[in-house]
């Protein structure tokens, strides 16, 4: 029998003990309560009334919460090492960020049905409709490798996409969608425990957060749960092309609010990046960041 090598997961984020004890242990299980229906109007976290900020304010703020990868001396970080639209510093492990080919490897209902090889993988996690499947298509520059829909609840299984025959992107069903079929809801709850906590080849979670709306409690709970369980996470803000939502709130404000709320609970700020699957914003930058996570893990 082949032994699974112990991999380096030094990108693990240390969460501080300041976490509110009332945080649910498994936030993903919550969306299926009726109070978390995606149409419920009261999702917003109260602390979202931040003053309007300019892009340069954001840049200054980013500077204070940089994500410094291994092999990089924080004292030697220069502006050109920071990926645009993110707090991520590119370190010596970055490279191989080009997607040459992608193959759909199949869908799994349970974690134990997932591919059993030793290739590193990134899981897409986030609310239904946040743009997980669209981001996969954007990263691999294919229109419909992963199926997308305006209606939440499109992705129902664990879908593995093999990139360059060497690593996986994993598309998952979203949380926060109350009307998913009963079977999918049941699987999702056990899936979170089984998959995220035990998947040895998981390099990290990409937690997708819709930047066109103010922070939502379910996403903050989710980020905190990931942190508490020491699973490496990158926050990927989606839909950054939507400059203003119907209430006039701006992407920039929403992102800053989310970061401020996250910052309270993390000793080291997680990496975050702005993206748009509609315009390709952040695509190459995210691929570079994923390459440094992967190469470090795989060394
Ligand atoms: N404007 C804009 N729309 C986007 C973006 N990303 C996704 N969308 C739209 O949002 C909707 C949902 O996208 P999906 O990729 O299917 O979302 P998902 O997170 O995979 O959803 P589930 O599979 O239901 O969990 C679709 O109508 C997309 O076209 C983006 O960056 N900008
Ligand atoms: Mg999907």
């Amino acid at each position: 029998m082949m032994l699974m090598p112990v991999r380096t997961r030094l990108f693990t984020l240390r969460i501080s003990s300041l976490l509110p004890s009332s945080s649910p242990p498994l936030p993903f299980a919550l969306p299926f309560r009726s109070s978390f229906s995606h149409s419920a109007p009261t999702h917003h976290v109260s602390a979202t009334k931040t003053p309007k900020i300019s892009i340069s304010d954001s840049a200054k703020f980013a500077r204070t919460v940089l994500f410094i990868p291994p092999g990089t001396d924080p004292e030697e970080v220069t502006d050109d090492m920071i990926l645009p639209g993110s707090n991520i510093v590119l370190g010596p492990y970055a490279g191989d960020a080009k997607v040459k080919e992608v193959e759909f490897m199949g869908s799994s209902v349970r974690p134990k049905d997932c591919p059993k090889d030793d290739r590193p993988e990134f899981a897409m996690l986030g609310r239904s409709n946040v743009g997980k499947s669209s981001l996969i298509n954007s990263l691999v520059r294919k229109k419909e490798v992963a199926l997308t829909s305006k209606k939440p609840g499109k992705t129902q299984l664990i879908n593995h996409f093999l990139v360059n025959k060497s690593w996986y992107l994993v598309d998952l069903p979203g949380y926060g969608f109350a009307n998913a079929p009963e079977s999918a809801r049941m699987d999702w709850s056990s899936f979170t425990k089984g998959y995220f906590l035990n998947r040895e080849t998981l390099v990290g979670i990409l937690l997708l957060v819709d930047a066109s709306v103010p922070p939502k409690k379910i996403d903050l709970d989710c980020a905190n749960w990931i942190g508490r369980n020491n699973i490496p996470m990158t926050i990927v803000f989606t839909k950054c092309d939507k400059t203003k939502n119907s209430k006039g709130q701006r992407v920039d404000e929403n992102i800053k609010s989310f970061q401020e709320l996250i910052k309270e609970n993390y000793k080291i700020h997680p990496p975050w990046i702005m993206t748009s699957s509609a315009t390709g914003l952040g695509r190459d930058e995210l691929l570079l960041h994923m390459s440094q996570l992967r190469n470090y893990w795989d060394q």
Side-chain angles (χ1 to χ4, degrees):
M1 195 183 99
M2 259 183 61
L3 281 177
M4 182 79 71
V6 178
R7 298 293 190 168
T8 324
R9 263 198 181 184
L10 286 192
F11 284 92
T12 297
L13 304 156
R14 301 238 166 261
I15 198 155
S16 79
S17 56
L18 298 170
L19 271 179
S21 53
S22 57
S23 295
L26 258 180
F28 329 116
L30 287 176
F32 307 115
R33 291 189 191 155
S34 56
S35 62
F36 276 86
S37 153
H38 73 285
S39 56
T42 51
H43 282 181
H44 300 166
V45 177
S46 57
T48 55
K49 285 185 187 134
T50 48
K52 285 207 165 150
I53 52 161
S54 69
I55 297 290
S56 61
D57 281 344
S58 301
K60 272 187 229 148
F61 177 76
R63 194 75 207 171
T64 65
V65 288
L66 287 179
F67 171 76
I68 316 272
T72 307
D73 179 350
E75 298 295 316
E76 284 172 12
V77 171
T78 52
D79 279 354
D80 59 348
M81 290 163 71
I82 305 169
L83 288 172
S86 84
N87 70 336
I88 300 167
V89 173
L90 264 198
Y93 291 96
D96 323 324
K98 211 164 181 242
V99 174
K100 291 176 213 109
E101 57 176 311
V102 60
E103 257 175 283
F104 173 57
M105 299 304 281
S107 302
S108 319
V109 180
R110 294 160 303 181
K112 65 177 183 154
D113 302 326
C114 291
K116 289 177 185 62
D117 60 66
D118 192 25
R119 295 183 179 104
E121 69 189 37
F122 294 91
M124 303 283 175
L125 178 62
R127 271 183 302 119
S128 283
N129 230 19
V130 69
K132 299 176 293 297
S133 303
S134 302
L135 184 69
I136 289 184
N137 292 333
S138 166
L139 289 173
V140 304
R141 291 177 188 261
K142 292 251 179 352
K143 276 214 173 90
E144 280 281 295
V145 162
L147 299 182
T148 64
S149 168
K150 279 197 174 107
K151 270 173 44 192
K154 177 72 180 172
T155 307
Q156 293 290 343
L157 299 165
I158 309 165
N159 299 299
H160 274 76
F161 298 91
L162 181 61
V163 181
N164 297 347
K165 297 202 190 310
S166 64
W167 55 281
Y168 290 111
L169 277 169
V170 184
D171 197 12
L172 299 172
Y175 57 78
F177 178 52
N179 301 331
E182 188 66 29
S183 58
R185 287 187 247 164
M186 298 300 292
D187 284 344
W188 179 232
S189 178
S190 56
F191 167 83
T192 52
K193 289 181 206 143
Y195 176 85
F196 291 120
L197 299 178
N198 300 318
R199 186 81 174 149
E200 300 225 18
T201 51
L202 185 66
V203 176
I205 293 176
L206 303 185
L207 177 66
L208 273 62
V209 175
D210 186 342
S212 70
V213 295
K216 289 182 185 267
K217 185 175 185 309
I218 188 87
D219 291 332
L220 293 161
D221 285 346
C222 186
N224 288 338
W225 183 87
I226 293 168
R228 261 205 310 277
N229 285 284
N230 284 328
I231 304 167
M233 164 181 74
T234 297
I235 300 170
V236 177
F237 291 105
T238 63
K239 309 194 183 183
C240 292
D241 55 287
K242 291 188 170 182
T243 46
K244 265 188 188 174
N245 73 3
S246 52
K247 291 183 196 137
Q249 270 138 340
R250 298 178 37 190
V251 158
D252 211 34
E253 272 178 68
N254 298 333
I255 290 177
K256 186 163 183 245
S257 301
F258 194 90
Q259 287 165 350
E260 290 282 15
L261 291 163
I262 284 286
K263 200 171 68 162
E264 291 164 16
N265 291 328
Y266 279 83
K267 280 183 185 145
I268 299 171
H269 203 81
W272 60 264
I273 185 162
M274 293 170 71
T275 68
S276 162
S277 300
T279 66
L281 174 83
R283 172 179 48 212
D284 296 340
E285 290 80 6
L286 180 55
L287 282 168
L288 268 171
H289 172 57
M290 288 162 82
S291 82
Q292 70 178 356
L293 297 182
R294 215 171 50 235
N295 291 337
Y296 184 70
W297 182 89
D298 212 16
Q299 70 180 325

